[in-house]
Amino acid sequence: MSSVAGPLASAGTRLGYDTRPGVPTEEYDMKLAPIAPGTLDKLRRVSTATLTTQLFKLGFRNTFLHGVRPLNPHLRMVGEAATVRFVPAREDLSSFEAIATSEYPQRKAIDEIGPGQVLVFDCRGVDSVAAAGEILMSRLKARNAAGAVTDGAMRDYASIQALDFPVYAKGMAAPAHVHRHLAVDTNVPVGCAEVLVMPGDVLVGDEEGVVCIPRHVADQVAQSGLEMEQLEAFVLEKMKAGAPLRGTYPPDDATRAEYEAWRKSKR
């Protein structure tokens, strides 16, 4: 059985789930610290560009999943992470018969996904095979999941685009995942596009890609991000009206005072 040791153990306990050394991954305490009411709704109104800036200000510099793109750029995604970990396939373990069982981690995660969760597939950046396809994505949608993310590929690409369900992937590939992957675990910390994703972290996706927000700062980032969006909407109006960058972007004291008056007028 796998376990998580060192700094991650204390971090996991702080965030509300048990990752102490010797605690099996299947026995994680998933009673996560609650996210404040309204936080996810706020995040739906904040761009990934703004979120990366707010996270940077808090010291988080590796939160954007580089190379992971939306199959349908018109859909936004916000939800709490559930995870699947793939390892390299081996011929005596990876077969279509083996992956067809209900206990196979990939299928089990999909069948047990909760409403509003985002399923994150750790494919180690391998995009020559598909983590999933239209049928499995349709099952996620039927379970009222919030979306799916992989640093690998998807197949049935055009069909998934028509699902009206947010899916983000590194690319497209026809072969099934069994050619290169073996799913071995669910709801454990994973790396996706070289970003750490912990179960319960908040994934936000828009037309530019996906950001992973550590759960314990989600409320703070949602509020500061929304405030930044409002400020930049005001700044954009001034830019379009011919204002110079100096004193406007970033705003000086005079521009901020003007913004506060503008904001109050919009209430």
Side-chain angles (χ1 to χ4, degrees):
M1 293 182 179
S2 58
S3 63
V4 183
L8 185 56
S10 59
T13 302
R14 184 181 73 247
L15 299 184
Y17 46 86
D18 197 345
T19 55
R20 292 170 299 176
V23 177
T25 54
E26 60 266 32
E27 295 179 14
Y28 276 1
D29 178 5
M30 294 308 292
K31 295 179 180 178
L32 301 173
I35 293 176
T39 289
L40 298 185
D41 285 336
K42 289 178 182 176
L43 289 172
R44 291 186 179 93
R45 300 158 59 190
V46 183
S47 69
T48 56
T50 294
L51 291 174
T52 58
T53 298
Q54 299 308 306
L55 286 163
F56 184 90
K57 291 176 180 178
L58 294 177
F60 296 97
R61 300 191 176 192
N62 185 38
T63 58
F64 183 73
L65 279 62
H66 290 278
V68 173
R69 297 178 176 84
L71 274 68
N72 190 333
H74 302 294
L75 300 177
R76 282 193 63 94
M77 179 188 74
V78 177
E80 299 177 36
T83 64
V84 174
R85 184 168 70 95
F86 285 110
V87 297
R90 199 175 74 183
E91 287 74 8
D92 60 330
L93 297 175
S94 301
S95 67
F96 283 102
E97 292 76 21
I99 71 172
T101 68
S102 60
E103 292 302 307
Y104 183 65
Q106 178 220 37
R107 290 174 175 261
K108 186 176 177 66
I110 290 170
D111 250 353
E112 296 181 357
I113 194 80
Q117 288 186 312
V118 174
L119 191 56
V120 180
F121 298 96
D122 170 10
C123 290
R124 313 179 317 283
V126 175
D127 61 357
S128 59
V129 298
E134 180 187 11
I135 291 175
L136 299 185
M137 293 301 99
S138 295
R139 177 60 176 155
L140 285 179
K141 181 179 180 181
R143 292 280 299 172
N144 293 315
V149 177
T150 178
D151 60 353
M154 287 283 170
R155 62 178 178 175
D156 308 322
Y157 212 83
S159 299
I160 294 175
Q161 287 177 315
L163 274 182
D164 195 32
F165 178 71
V167 177
Y168 292 77
K170 184 178 175 184
M172 64 182 81
H177 80 267
V178 69
H179 291 260
R180 294 286 306 275
H181 298 310
L182 177 70
V184 294
D185 222 339
T186 63
N187 286 327
V188 294
V190 299
C192 189
E194 298 298 321
V195 173
L196 173 63
V197 180
M198 304 281 284
D201 284 347
V202 180
L203 278 297
V204 179
D206 61 13
E207 66 277 4
E208 293 188 336
V210 178
V211 171
C212 179
I213 304 173
R215 186 181 183 88
H216 64 291
V217 297
D219 298 336
Q220 180 180 356
V221 169
Q223 184 59 42
S224 64
L226 187 58
E227 291 171 358
M228 178 61 71
E229 291 283 349
Q230 294 170 341
L231 174 59
E232 291 195 345
F234 168 74
V235 167
L236 183 59
E237 281 191 10
K238 291 186 69 66
M239 286 290 114
K240 290 180 177 180
L245 285 174
R246 180 178 296 177
T248 307
Y249 187 64
D252 58 17
D253 290 343
T255 299
R256 284 191 173 275
E258 187 182 347
Y259 162 68
E260 288 300 327
W262 174 87
R263 187 169 62 89
K264 290 176 182 178
S265 72
K266 297 292 183 178
R267 290 177 180 175

